[in-house]
Amino acid sequence: MLGEQFSIKRSEIPQEVFDDAEIEAKAIYESDYASNFSLSGRPRSFEDIRKDALLGKLGEYFLKTKFGFINDDAKWHD
């Protein structure tokens, strides 16, 4: 619900979510297809990209488990 705080414990998230974020971060960081710059033009380190990928994977996990969404196979399409 909007306006309510949401929290989830690390132990409640499958390791697969973290593994997928790591794989995606490496693919983005090493890719010629994706930019390592943020939308504001600031360069992103691997740690920045990994954090962003994890936030996306956590969002996907939440939508899949709470609302029954399915995974989109499009490359880096969140």
Side-chain angles (χ1 to χ4, degrees):
M1 309 243 166
L2 293 176
E4 292 186 20
Q5 184 175 355
F6 172 77
S7 64
I8 188 168
K9 294 178 183 171
R10 163 76 167 86
S11 61
E12 297 173 333
I13 302 168
Q15 183 60 41
E16 178 181 317
V17 174
F18 296 95
D19 295 343
D20 288 348
E22 184 76 18
I23 290 166
E24 184 171 299
K26 285 180 183 177
I28 292 169
Y29 190 74
E30 296 170 356
S31 173
D32 293 331
Y33 174 78
S35 173
N36 287 344
F37 289 88
S38 69
L39 293 177
S40 67
R42 179 181 67 82
R44 296 189 299 168
S45 68
F46 177 73
E47 291 299 319
D48 294 331
I49 293 170
R50 181 171 36 199
K51 181 176 138 185
D52 291 343
L54 180 56
L55 288 173
K57 291 298 178 183
L58 289 170
E60 290 172 3
Y61 171 73
F62 177 73
L63 290 172
K64 287 185 225 176
T65 58
K66 300 296 181 186
F67 298 102
F69 281 54
I70 59 171
N71 196 29
D72 186 343
D73 291 335
K75 191 172 190 175
W76 303 317
H77 184 121
D78 297 332

